[in-house]
Amino acid sequence: EVLQSIREVNENSSVHGFIVQLPLDSIHRIDTEKVTNAVAPEKDVDGLTSINAGKLARGDLGDCFIPCTPNGCMELIRQTGWRHVLYDIDISRSCVPKCIDRLAREIGLLSNEVELYGKTKAKVHLEAIDRLRIQPDGKYVVVTGITPTPLGEGKSTTTIGLVQALGAHLNNNVFACVRQPSQGPTFGIKGGAAGGGYSQVIPMEEFNLHLTGDIHAITAANNLVAAAIDARIFHEATQSDKALFNRLVPLSGGHRTFSPVQINRLKKLGIEKSDPSTLTEEEITRFARLDIDPESITWQRVLDTNDRFLRKITIGQSPTEKGYTRTAQFDITVASEIMAVLALTSSLEDMKHRLAKMVVATSRNGEPVTTEDLGVCGALTVLMRDAIKPNLMQTLEGNPVFVHAGPFANIAHGNSSILADKIALKLVGPEGFVVTEAGFGADIGMEKFFNIKCRYSGLRPHVVVLVATVRALKMHGGGPSVTAGMPLPKEYTEENLELVEKGFCNLRKQVENTKHFGVPVVVAVNAFKTDTEAELQLICKLAKEAGAFDAVQCTHWADGGAGAVELGKAVQKAAEAPSNFRFLYDTELPVVDKIRIIAQKIYGADEIELLPEAQHKVHLYTKQGFGNLPICMAKTHLSLSHDAEKKGAPTGFVLPVRDIRASVGAGFLYPLVGTMPTIPGLPTRPCFYDIDLEPETGEVIGLF
Amino acid sequence: EVLQSIREVNENSSVHGFIVQLPLDSIHRIDTEKVTNAVAPEKDVDGLTSINAGKLARGDLGDCFIPCTPNGCMELIRQTGWRHVLYDIDISRSCVPKCIDRLAREIGLLSNEVELYGKTKAKVHLEAIDRLRIQPDGKYVVVTGITPTPLGEGKSTTTIGLVQALGAHLNNNVFACVRQPSQGPTFGIKGGAAGGGYSQVIPMEEFNLHLTGDIHAITAANNLVAAAIDARIFHEATQSDKALFNRLVPLSGGHRTFSPVQINRLKKLGIEKSDPSTLTEEEITRFARLDIDPESITWQRVLDTNDRFLRKITIGQSPTEKGYTRTAQFDITVASEIMAVLALTSSLEDMKHRLAKMVVATSRNGEPVTTEDLGVCGALTVLMRDAIKPNLMQTLEGNPVFVHAGPFANIAHGNSSILADKIALKLVGPEGFVVTEAGFGADIGMEKFFNIKCRYSGLRPHVVVLVATVRALKMHGGGPSVTAGMPLPKEYTEENLELVEKGFCNLRKQVENTKHFGVPVVVAVNAFKTDTEAELQLICKLAKEAGAFDAVQCTHWADGGAGAVELGKAVQKAAEAPSNFRFLYDTELPVVDKIRIIAQKIYGADEIELLPEAQHKVHLYTKQGFGNLPICMAKTHLSLSHDAEKKGAPTGFVLPVRDIRASVGAGFLYPLVGTMPTIPGLPTRPCFYDIDLEPETGEVIGLF
């Protein structure tokens, strides 16, 4: 019967590979080798095929198959009878998650520190940090990766797998801290992002859809600022100074009174007055006119939707706006500075300050115009007051996970929130582990994790986990190009030690990058089925020679926490090793020097070249007093250089910086290396064609 | 000391009027007449000034003052010491709300039917309807009003006040069902909308801000459709039929397979095939090309923000969109058809069907193009799967409230959800009362409540409560115009029986409108302090003569439920009276006839006039098979006619219909009478100038 089922799946054209899952007791009655051999070779496309027994501790699924497409994504085929075809969402659903209030109690949260959002999600109050003030922090582990293929090399999955291993399998208090994914790509081409296979955050449909509304709150807050900017320009353009002032400080019972946010603006202008009637005409003009230069506006509207037609638009074309049109754009919500603020803030008060000093434009005489000047900063804080509380969910094996903030990894810093990490570090206690993930490769996400996130948080990591794959190293070694949606060339499915060895230069460089910060690095080789033992061992050997504290294979995608036990042990040891954390640069250095240090030390560039717009911004921001902010490079993640085609560890190149922007509230300058798309589009056949809801059960189908 | 405080408030220019609140025991030690007389006459602007003793049963506030602006909005002034200045938000906060899970238990919900969202909000599962299937429904009361002044006459406050009266004061099971307000106006000019004074939904900041994210879900779903429309037009314009088909039905393992939503499109096209390889070339073209006429697109993008610069925009101007630009617009989210669907749906399955048949445009050969044709309808259902569950909150006196859906009252039907009403009617039981509110005056909100909402729900109301005020009747009687933000002319603050009597024609007409539907009507005269007993009694007398079942004064704003006990008793009696519900028109009548019936019978028009665009739409929609939908008039709420300036009960006019649009998923056609603004703007000094968060306590300040 099993063999018959395998044959059916073999012949099913929409299944590209699969895992066969047998009940424990079947080992005795089934010839497993026969089962293995029954799998058609062409179904063994991506290392995901294997046979497992008795792994589904939770739920009662019987035998099952986990089919997959060549690019690692899942396609859903529902089947009836004894055989279950499993996808990420099926695995996610196969576990009955613990009630989230039980999990909250288990990890030591008090009931008044937890706000339930249904049965599987909760928000955690920041008061927990205060209560646990004297509790020493746990061990802090950041997961990063080598320069990836476009398919991704499994950082999120490794983060969850490692936490599962350190938890139930190695008996530690653990916490995973991950980013909330944008909803746009979920309906576009990417699908969900909750880890995968047996290393997932569950329920994945809650994780991937609204969650508790944090991203929606950012959309609302961001767009209130945008509406305020254009409305203000309009009102200033159509009113005299006096009329403007009279409206901004309205007569009420014969008197005018400044609101507190207006007093702050007066202070910024150096006008130490609080009675509106005492302002001189010149002061009235300075106070009432922000005099925004429309050309200088850097604040964009946002939507959490892949809407390519909003990349460039003209606004204000209704007759009611009297001809005050301008060119504008929408970005995806996670690219909003408010998302970066959420990720980098350390308290409600700090968030309030950051939200008030965000610079949205420059006035015609060169002054930065802030959200406080617009009077909108208090409302932003109010809109974000729930979003600041980290969201508690769980892994497939029942470990706690904070899902909180998901800033873009190019124009922002691509790391989950400081607050979630801080609460988690207190909750696990000094012997416990908090594992967090940095977006993209180590040259981007990890560099920003250290130089931006750790700088603002004051937290010091104990271990870096660097995820590598045979596939990615072969690509760096000169293998054919890897494209999402296309079958992998045979170089990737057959042993090729030469390609692995040639491509190792990328891993060596990324290990070296880690060592700039003085933190021990453990290389995690995320094994696929087609990888040979010789290839995997070669990587481990070379990684150790290159200075990694340790290098181990892991199989958590297929095996859950059990597949990352060796990685867990290595991380435990590394956390005891001496660490000597240091930043890569001093923020007081000139802007250009900071960029050059990153380009030379991390990317391997010979020099940097600032194009005229970037040079202008260096002067402008330095003059405006923002020159001492850390640097957040916006660069492709597909190469150590600025050219996505340059694989391996390129040298001898000059890094061109096209422009520089400032996220003053979040607290960084972001140099643009190349053109960064800030809102994705929808393909001809978006993911949503497969997504539906089963009205009888309320189950989501087709979400991967 | 009290007098000193009153003098201070008298002199405080930002306080326009106030209520003095004294502790019970102070009656003996304070000369209340002296206190009353101490209130400066100019502070007595809007009938809101009065003196109360011992009313604050909940909380321990001591003495307090409730100041207000002339337009009934509150302005916040925080004061220290023994004296508290109270605003809506302060009153809201002065009560410690019951834990929402306790309230849920009290009203008979099972714990697995309730999803907590923090401690003061919960979502209620639709399974409750099934469980209570055999339970008879309670009494169904709809609150509507006469044609209002721009300040509003207190329908929401009356809804909450009546529920409070029927509940704790008259010992009935009760439920209020109200709309969720748009967040846009909260930060613009309007402030919050949770009722007011001592008849509020609490906590009002939760009510007015994100709530549980339903409106955000609508924004996400609506804009996914918009992105899908433009992306599809773009992909069709840039690909051959064959390439388009191959991408829409991709090769996967050597095979092509239609997704279920594509099979539905094939069926609609009359192509009864399920194997992609068997389609003829002509069928491939018909299937793959929606061939949307860009000029015909009626689907707009939305934001829950007052962003006037998005009223008319040009999209697609980035080079990546290859010149496919077009003119488009954003509406406020509550104007989305998806909001109307949410309000009118009766189950998850019904919502799925409605979301699939929404028409977004017409193809070049005149066929309606739906969300199902775009393949996006399943994703919409997934995005809306939490929003469909009604949100449970409570009144200031602890009665249950469902806050669910808030469709625009002009281009949509302006009533809260059918599902909330249905669950509430089961929960209160046959002797209990569910009070719901219809937006705008009886000519709009109530007419749509009966002809659209009741038609789809099958529910039959027992009583109509028609809210009237002395102020509005005086306006209809020829009083000077009433403008938000300006002090009321003296006609409104001094007795003037003649104006009241002359303006009564509007109330008479609205009573008559109610009687078209065969339901008993109770007139609730919402009393302000400046109203005289003679004025109030005159209205009650005339209303009863005009055929109202009863007419009573009420003071729930100042007195909470105690102020609406007489109203509650009248409603109880009316609910026992014979009712003979009937619709105003048969939906099978021609579109023009249905519009004419509403215009003549409800508005008092002589005739209607269809402008050419409207005539064209009558033909188009009739041809497309939508001619049998009910009618949702988009007309000003400030007059019974189409002209906001025509007060009283105008006659002898011809109602011009400019255009007609279709909300096929929601299930109505909406004729446009005049121009309807669908996204508000921000004034020079928006409300947000006063809104802030106190970081120490997390309290929201400045939200009214």
Side-chain angles (χ1 to χ4, degrees), chain A residues 80 153 242 313 342 370 412 436-437 493 536 540 574 609 647:
Chain A
T80 52
E153 308 313 309
K242 190 73 193 158
I313 62 176
L342 177 67
T370 65
T436 189
E437 182 197 346
T493 55
L536 295 165
C540 290
E609 183 197 1
K647 302 302 179 187

Side-chain angles (χ1 to χ4, degrees), chain B residues 653-671:
Chain B
F653 59 94
V654 175
L655 189 86
V657 178
R658 181 170 62 81
D659 194 359
I660 303 178
R661 304 264 166 81
S663 282
V664 177
F668 53 72
L669 299 179
Y670 57 103

